[in-house]
Amino acid sequence: MDITRFFVSQRNKSLLVGDYGSYRKHLSKRLLTVRRKLGRTTPKGRKYVAKAPITVEDISSNHEFAHFLILTAERAWAHAMYMKSMHSADSAAKPITRSTRKHILSRLHKAEETAAHLTELIEGLKGASTQTVLEAGAYHSTLLGFVDFESQKWEKCLEAFSEAHLIYSTLITSIESNKGDVLRDLLSSTIDPSIRYAAYQLRLPRSLSIDAIVSRFLSKDSAQVRRVLETDPDALAITGRGPKKGFSQETGDLPQTITWRSRNVKLEDATIAQSLATVTSAEQVLRTQLSKLGMTRQDKASAYDKVLIPSQDAVDAAKTAIDELTADGTAQSDHRMQALQITRTAVNYALVGWRIGRNRVLCGEGDGAILEPETLKKPRKPRIDHKEWVVKGESNGRQLARLQERVVLYDATMQSINSVKGLPGVAADQSFLQELESRKSYFAALRCLAIARSHALLGRKKNALALLARASTQASNASSGVPCPASQVEKSPNLDVTDEQIHSLQHLLRGLVMQYRALVELDTINANADQVGKSNSSSEPLIERLDEYPSSWVDLTNLVTYPPRLKAIPVKPLFLDAAWNYIDYPGQGKKDPRSKSNGIAENTKKQADAKVEGKKGWFSFGR
């Protein structure tokens, strides 16, 4: 019987979209449905008759009776919370009147009594698991804590909530992770804030952690505590977040200071110190897991979740501490506020670094600069023809999808880097801003590289060349930042980028730029040759242009003209004998060589005279 998940799911259905009033209406409808199923309704027109109380036999026969008790307790609790929230919304300055407080307490008492009755029935139920009994006891302790909280009995309130905290913390380590998340949310949203407020009312120092407060106010004589210790003797050494910290130790194992950019501040808030201690232990576990061989990218990314959860807790604790000081009217110039602002910047930067490290692990080898082929598995089912399956290569569509995932990761990484600039004290640190810009340029170069490969797969070589040139420029800008030691990045990647990684990316981009520049040049030459060849294809056939050398393309359909066409060609060529006056031909008399030079002129004169004598009048007619 899953008690905790049942009432938490009922709360989430209404409280996520409404208020306690809508939650109460939802529970009333749900109760009516359960009454009808169990036959505990009064028929219409009949006189009301009190129903018999629920017994152990009823729950053993049908678990709906247990749900009926839980819904009844939840409705009374929701009614009390609704009245309290309505009064707070009307006027925060006016205190709650006596009648209203009395009404609230009566509803809480009813919820607590119903939960106590449920716990007694579950304990007497044969075959009930220890987990079910502990969940029923934790639920009763939580409602009892609410009663003491409204009654302003702070010590009893801490005793009740400490018992619930111990039970839920123990259950987190002994059940599956899915339900463990439900219990963590219940602790962080309901129980832990109540413990912290009650400790504040008792004037306890803020340096005390939640575990130290629970250890101080936990009643060892309680039946539920004894049952927990019988189940897990080391339960007092387990916190609500999972790692063992030690309830009996108050501040011995917690960090006392935090360093940010050569500034060292003291940690006065125990919640922040506890979260940072958890982050330190989780970081060691992460480095051990990343050093193992054979882990996939998904497994490495999942290992980062153990660091991200306590890091987010540290960020939330820092913000809560700042809000509390602001509500108390503390000035920004106060040393406590200044220390918390520095702490907030440090823990936020650490959280951003772990998120970026997780994205870098998901990108693959070399932060995604190398597009390694994806190994495809053979189907287990044999083929019908009993032949071996042929493993095909990765398709272009799958490669494009992988590149698109990397682009999304790079966008998230650059957005996280931009969020660091808005943290307190970052805008005034010019050297740190320069480092952030260099790291952003590094991931921008990787983003351009992924998009360029997508264009290359689609055959757009010019676009790929332009993007690769842009990526090369971004990689050059990334080298101007201050790199971190290589040993720090090799163990657990985060926001830091080494000089070796930048040089490796620059070398890769330089080679790709030269490669695609040559490919684009070849495409340009081939395109020009095609245009020349196509222009020649409409001119004379190749046999008429044998004096021309084709560069790359020959129109094989235009070699000769077939069938041949009729055309004029020279038949009797005219030979001009320039040596006529210098050579003696057979059958002619000898000529004087000395008169040869004047022979042409004399003959020409005689012919001219003959023509003049022969032409008389118009049209050679004499008068």
Side-chain angles (χ1 to χ4, degrees), residues 32-274:
L32 180 59
T33 304
V34 174
R35 282 197 185 100
R36 289 174 178 173
K37 289 182 180 180
L38 300 177
R40 298 178 65 87
T41 56
T42 301
K44 189 176 182 179
R46 300 281 185 89
K47 185 179 179 181
Y48 172 75
V49 178
K51 304 298 180 182
I54 298 176
T55 60
V56 177
E57 290 75 13
D58 295 333
I59 296 180
S60 60
S61 61
N62 192 352
H63 288 172
E64 287 291 335
F65 285 97
H67 293 169
F68 174 76
L69 294 176
I70 296 174
L71 292 174
T72 303
E74 281 292 296
R75 186 176 66 169
W77 175 81
H79 190 187
M81 294 296 105
Y82 174 70
M83 289 188 292
K84 184 177 179 180
S85 62
M86 288 299 295
H87 179 81
S88 301
D90 292 340
S91 176
K94 296 181 181 179
I96 300 178
T97 60
R98 185 175 181 180
S99 60
T100 304
R101 186 176 297 278
K102 186 177 180 180
H103 195 185
I104 293 174
L105 287 174
S106 67
R107 295 292 89 195
L108 291 176
H109 274 295
K110 180 179 180 180
E112 185 268 332
E113 291 174 357
T114 306
H117 181 48
L118 173 66
T119 305
E120 292 177 1
L121 295 177
I122 294 296
E123 290 176 353
L125 183 64
K126 293 183 180 180
S129 62
T130 306
Q131 178 180 338
T132 303
V133 176
L134 290 177
E135 287 186 16
Y139 182 58
H140 172 245
S141 299
T142 303
L143 294 179
L144 180 60
F146 277 110
V147 174
D148 296 330
F149 188 93
E150 293 300 326
S151 303
Q152 298 183 359
K153 299 176 182 178
W154 305 118
E155 291 185 1
K156 292 184 178 180
C157 174
L158 284 176
E159 291 179 3
F161 280 122
S162 296
E163 184 176 328
H165 182 95
L166 175 65
I167 296 174
Y168 285 133
S169 301
T170 306
L171 292 176
I172 287 175
T173 60
S174 60
I175 59 178
E176 64 274 9
S177 60
N178 186 13
K179 188 174 180 180
D181 295 337
V182 175
L183 298 180
R184 288 189 186 93
D185 294 339
L186 184 61
L187 282 174
S188 60
S189 61
T190 304
I191 298 176
D192 289 354
S194 302
I195 293 176
R196 181 63 67 184
Y197 185 80
Y200 171 76
Q201 294 293 335
L202 291 176
R203 308 296 183 184
L204 296 179
R206 291 179 55 85
S207 58
L208 286 178
S209 62
I210 295 291
D211 298 335
I213 297 173
V214 171
S215 178
R216 178 181 296 184
F217 288 90
L218 192 64
S219 177
K220 305 298 189 298
D221 298 333
S222 174
Q224 297 294 338
V225 175
R226 290 197 301 268
R227 187 177 287 109
V228 170
L229 294 177
E230 291 175 0
T231 305
D232 187 3
D234 298 332
L236 294 179
I238 303 176
T239 65
R241 298 295 183 265
K244 294 187 177 182
K245 298 294 297 177
F247 268 100
S248 59
Q249 300 177 359
E250 295 187 356
T251 58
D253 296 338
L254 301 181
Q256 302 297 323
T257 59
I258 187 172
T259 304
W260 167 251
R261 304 288 294 179
S262 71
R263 296 194 64 178
N264 195 5
V265 296
K266 185 178 180 181
L267 292 175
E268 299 181 357
D269 195 298
T271 306
I272 302 176
Q274 182 180 356

